[in-house]
Each structure stands twice: as structure tokens, then as C-alpha cells.
Amino acid sequence: MNLNTLTIDTVRSALAEGTATATSLALSFFDAIQKQDGEIGAFLTLSKERALIRAAEIDGLVKDGKPLPPLAGVPVAIKDVMVTRGVRTTAGSRILDNFVPPYDSTAVARLEQAGAVALGKLNCDEFAMGSSNENSAYHPVRNPRDTSRVPGGSSGGAAAAVAAGMAVATLGSDTGGSIRQPASFCGVVGMMPTYGRVSRYGLIAFASSLDHIGPLTHSVKDAALVLRTIAGRDPMDSTSADVPVPDYVDPMDSTSADVPVPDYVVELEKPIKGLRVGVAKEYFGEGLDPEVRGSVEAAIDRLRDLGCEIVKVSLPHTEYAIPTYYIVATAEASANLARFDGVRYGYRSKKTRSLSEMYQRTRDEAFGTEVKRRIMLGTYALSAGYYDAYYLKAQKVRALLTRDFDEAFRKVDVIATPTSPTAAFRLGEKVNDPLAMYLADIYTVTADLAGIPGISVPCGQTKENLPIGLQILGKHFDEATVLRLAHAYETGVRE
Ligand code: GLN
């Protein structure tokens, strides 16, 4: 069994046919992790005991001939910003080095209820702040396609684990591009759902109005299956939306391996002929690598060949997206990270004589440089006298960016863009230049600011064999169309 390309369907049929058990699969994945992860660095913590207990439960269901839940036996792994009961959760930070949460985040709980086997927790930039995974307080992640390169960030571990065959699917989080950009750098699929589609309960907050949880997988169908599992209203998160979740993939198809696939059409299989695909010049401007441009333009031509109508649209405020994002995100981060004070969680400085000195030293000793930079920027933007000039202004521009999309989506069903202006860069190339690093998200932050869904699907590679990603953005809560188009593109299905 080739772990590098294993999909949810293959796992399900292997279990049903008896060619693998959930336990043997989990053990093969732990083996693959053991062999490769010394070099890649995707995992921070393994949860072997928990995984094997879950796998044994699934094997029990198979043995008793019981119906299998949709993700039965599927080896998954979780970005270390989602809390897991009894399993160390660090957010990539020293400040949470020894933090063992007392509860599960909703997304993780839903995955496990659906039968998935969680192998462990994935490396990421500290508090999800970064675009290369080099801001992890532990160690960087290397891109499995070329280990001298970064995997992207901040969900670098989540993308690398799938790309290297160390998990079938992973959960990442996207605040400014952190699912889609690493997916594009590592040559896997990464989906950011609409804001509110997936509960953030148990997600360690970076910027609460921008944080989204979503899947990274080998195929669009797998992304749909995982999203279907984790999506939907959760009473524990008041911003989770009470919007029905469509069956992106036929529920019958995913309930039990031996149920025949019914012949009615499901979202992914609906025809794409006539779908209107918007192309905005603002996403093809200065700074776009020519090879990336070529590949994405070819992908758009292919969508035309598949029966889509390509329509020019304009998103005139795009140039303000990065500055707007870095005001809003840092402002929210500065407030969210106030809770790490040495009292309630994780690390506490020992060398202190007073309470305020304890706060200061704890934060000084245990936060990394980028996190401190953002707390300072955010505190500044929110401070009296600057609030109107920065934070309020940024919120107004955010509204304009959202309006750009609303207007474009009157004319088109989706918008196609490059995911990132370049392919994976080298480790060390941008670490000392935060501004250059921030620009890696120039095509992704807009969707986070507007709260719309987006996916990155592999669409080619550079001469140096580095993957390139095509980004497809959709209307609020219209993941179905985004997934459908991405699936048709990936499988080359006509009409
Ligand atoms: N790279 C962006 C940042 O550093 C986005 C991070 C994210 O999406 N979590 O803020």
C-alpha cells in the first residue's frame, strides 16, 4: 500500500475487503513517521496510545460487521493549535510547552467521532504567525518535495505530513492563508471554509475574526469528506453558523464501504458546464513569478476547456489587503495573547519576585520574536489616539474588500487566482525580512478578511519540480461550488 497517495476511499475499501485493519494502517503510518520525520519535522507530539485505542474500536466494528462511520480508520493528524484532551498542545510556542488540555476542540472531536484515527500534533509557526513554519519555537518543517525549502506556513506540518505520506488528511488553520499557501507549496489540496462554517471551539485563537479550521488532503474529494465531517453549527462557538451543510460527497457513499454508490447526483459530481469563473487582474500583477503565472493561466484555460465561462472581474481594493490584514490580525492577536501570563497555562518564569515581574518575564522568556512583534504592533494599533487612524481605518477597508467580492460574485460563481506569488522558497531566505514574508500571503489574505471560502489545488510545477497551486474562491457558504470546480479540474471531468 502506497501511503503517499492513500485516500479516504482506499482506506475504506481496504478495511471492508480485509486487506488492512485500522490498527495495521495506524502502525504503518507511525512507521513512516519514524522513518521520515527526523528529516521533515512535521510532528511535535505523537498520540500513539490514543490512536491505537481508536483503531482497535474501528477494527471491532469491522469484525462485528457493523456499519462503518465515514472516516473509519483514516489516519489523520492535527495542527498543534487545536486542543486535544490529554495530548500536549503547544501552538508551536514555548509558552505552552507543557500544556495538556482538559478538552477536545470540536473539529477534532467530530473527526474522531467519524472514525478517524488521530496520530499526533503537527508543527506550525508559533501561534500560527508565519508563512514558512520557521517561526515554530521547536524546529522548522522541511518541504518533502525539496528539503532545502520551506513547506509554507503556518500549517507547514499539516501540509508536509500529507505530502510525505505521514497522514491521509490533516487539519490546519487559516487566518491569512495558512492552509492554502502551504498546500500549494507542498503540492496537496488545502481548503479554507467560510468563516463560521467550522466551529473554532478549542482552536487556540490568533485573530478570532479571521481564524478558520479546514482540511489538507491528497484529493478534493477527501477535502470534501473531511469538511463535511467537521462543519456545522456548534453550541460551543457562537460564531459558528447555523447554515445547513450540503452533502458535498454522497453520504451513502461514505457511510459504509459495502453500500453501493447510489446513482443520484451529489455536489461534487454535478456538471460544471456554464459555471462562470472570474479572473481579476489584481491577482496577476507585479511580484507574480512567471512560472506560477504560466501554470495558473494554463489551469484557467483548462477550466474553459471543461466548459466554464471565463469572465474578467475587478477587485479594486486588493492592494490594501496586506496592510489591512496586518492591522486587524495583530490587533486581535495582541488581545488574544494577553491570556498567556504564566498564571493559567504552561510556562512560568521562575526568577521573579513580584506578580508583574512574573508576567513580564514569562512573556519575555517564552514568546518568540515574531509573536512579540505582533503583540507590539497590535497594541500600538489599538492604543488611544491611534485606534481611529489604524484599527478603525483597517475595519473600513476590510468592508471595502468584502464589497469587492460581493460585487464580483454578482457576475461570477467563483474566482480563480494563483494561491501564492511564488513556489516554495528556501529555508532562511526570508526569515530576516518580515515584510517579504508577509507578501507570501498577498493572494490569500483577502478571502480571510472577507470570510469567503477558498481552496488550493495543485496545478503544475516549476522547472525545479516545485508544486504550484491554483486558488479557487467562492461565495459565502458556497463551498459546494468551490469543491465541485476543484474536483472537476483535478480529475479532468468534462461538463
Ligand atoms: N502568514 C500569515 C501570518 O503570518 C497568515 C498566518 C495564518 O493564516 N495563520 O499572519
Side-chain angles (χ1 to χ4, degrees):
M1 203 176 268
N2 181 0
L3 304 191
N4 276 310
T5 50
L6 206 61
T7 60
I8 294 172
D9 278 345
T10 7
V11 170
R12 259 201 358 259
S13 25
L15 291 194
E17 286 157 17
T19 52
T21 62
T23 306
S24 70
L25 259 181
L27 291 172
S28 314
F29 273 89
F30 281 121
D31 240 24
I33 294 167
Q34 169 93 31
K35 288 206 185 85
Q36 300 178 77
D37 207 39
E39 188 181 10
I40 304 294
F43 282 84
L44 290 177
T45 306
L46 294 178
S47 47
K48 199 162 176 180
E49 199 180 321
R50 175 164 163 163
L52 293 178
I53 291 173
R54 190 76 192 110
E57 286 165 7
I58 300 295
D59 289 334
L61 293 179
V62 177
K63 205 161 135 254
D64 298 343
K66 297 246 173 70
L68 296 180
L71 302 182
V74 176
V76 299
I78 313 295
K79 182 179 182 181
D80 211 15
V81 289
M82 281 160 249
V83 300
T84 38
R85 183 176 175 165
V87 178
R88 180 176 87 128
T89 301
T90 67
S93 180
R94 287 281 168 217
I95 212 157
L96 289 175
D97 201 11
N98 292 316
F99 176 53
V100 178
Y103 68 103
D104 277 322
S105 49
T106 297
V108 174
R110 287 185 178 177
L111 265 192
E112 289 194 318
Q113 275 154 19
V117 174
L119 306 174
K121 305 301 292 291
L122 296 161
N123 203 349
C124 55
D125 286 301
E126 186 173 0
F127 288 103
M129 297 174 185
S131 305
S132 69
N133 222 113
E134 291 162 296
N135 293 337
S136 163
Y138 297 89
H139 46 80
V141 178
R142 291 176 180 273
N143 191 321
R145 292 285 284 261
D146 173 349
T147 51
S148 70
R149 312 239 169 202
V150 303
S154 60
S155 311
V162 173
M166 298 190 286
V168 170
T170 57
L171 289 185
S173 67
D174 195 313
T175 304
S178 281
I179 291 175
R180 293 159 290 153
Q181 184 256 19
S184 112
F185 278 19
C186 292
V188 300
V189 173
M191 171 93 198
M192 177 181 73
T194 309
Y195 183 78
R197 181 59 106 180
V198 175
S199 165
R200 289 180 297 110
Y201 181 64
L203 171 67
I204 297 173
F206 162 11
S208 309
S209 78
L210 295 161
D211 294 342
H212 308 69
I213 292 175
L216 293 99
T217 54
H218 287 296
S219 70
V220 174
K221 184 173 180 188
D222 279 4
L225 279 165
V226 174
L227 180 60
R228 180 73 182 82
T229 307
I230 60 175
R233 168 82 185 150
D234 172 18
M236 302 305 282
D237 172 6
S238 60
T239 63
S240 71
D242 200 1
V243 176
V245 182
D247 285 321
Y248 308 121
V249 181
D250 196 302
M252 296 298 280
D253 180 23
S254 57
T255 307
S256 166
D258 44 30
V259 176
V261 179
D263 60 2
Y264 57 86
V265 185
V266 289
E267 295 294 338
L268 274 197
E269 307 297 342
K270 283 184 186 160
I272 62 158
K273 190 180 166 67
L275 275 187
R276 295 158 307 165
V277 177
V279 177
K281 65 173 183 319
E282 291 84 357
Y283 284 70
F284 291 85
E286 207 190 325
L288 177 58
D289 177 272
E291 280 188 282
V292 175
R293 172 197 290 271
S295 208
V296 171
E297 284 174 351
I300 293 167
D301 285 343
R302 174 144 167 221
L303 291 174
R304 185 186 287 117
D305 292 346
L306 292 172
C308 296
E309 188 190 334
I310 310 299
V311 181
K312 280 197 184 133
V313 292
S314 166
L315 298 161
H317 296 92
T318 304
E319 64 174 301
Y320 304 111
I322 288 279
T324 305
Y325 170 79
Y326 277 96
I327 299 284
V328 176
T330 57
E332 293 186 23
S334 72
N336 276 324
L337 270 56
R339 60 167 68 84
F340 301 102
D341 55 6
V343 176
R344 285 163 287 195
Y345 316 87
Y347 180 81
R348 175 184 298 171
S349 174
K350 291 187 185 59
K351 317 167 221 163
T352 58
R353 280 155 302 172
S354 69
L355 184 62
S356 63
E357 198 188 335
M358 192 280 286
Y359 292 152
Q360 277 172 28
R361 279 185 180 268
T362 296
R363 289 165 69 82
D364 180 38
E365 288 162 21
F367 278 144
T369 316
E370 183 62 25
V371 173
K372 287 178 186 161
R373 179 181 296 126
R374 301 219 184 176
I375 292 173
M376 306 249 304
L377 284 170
T379 308
Y380 183 84
L382 289 178
S383 53
Y386 295 107
Y387 182 93
D388 288 3
Y390 294 108
Y391 185 71
L392 207 60
K393 186 67 133 298
Q395 292 294 17
K396 287 180 182 166
V397 182
R398 183 178 188 178
L400 293 174
L401 283 156
T402 309
R403 197 186 298 162
D404 280 359
F405 279 116
D406 289 346
E407 271 164 30
F409 282 127
R410 278 200 206 115
K411 286 192 261 170
V412 295
D413 302 293
V414 295
I415 294 172
T417 82
T419 305
S420 174
T422 65
F425 43 89
R426 290 187 195 284
L427 268 93
E429 198 177 316
K430 301 192 184 189
V431 247
N432 296 320
D433 187 351
L435 286 183
M437 191 72 95
Y438 294 174
L439 289 175
D441 295 308
I442 189 157
Y443 302 141
T444 47
V445 292
T446 44
D448 296 87
L449 287 163
I452 58 171
I455 198 168
S456 179
V457 271
C459 73
Q461 49 187 21
T462 67
K463 286 194 232 47
E464 293 177 289
N465 290 331
L466 300 172
I468 297 171
L470 166 72
Q471 175 173 241
I472 300 168
L473 303 173
K475 300 175 189 170
H476 286 114
F477 294 103
D478 192 17
E479 289 85 0
T481 306
V482 171
L483 287 162
R484 169 153 62 112
L485 193 75
H487 175 69
Y489 172 76
E490 180 190 63
T491 53
V493 177
R494 201 168 280 273
E495 302 185 359

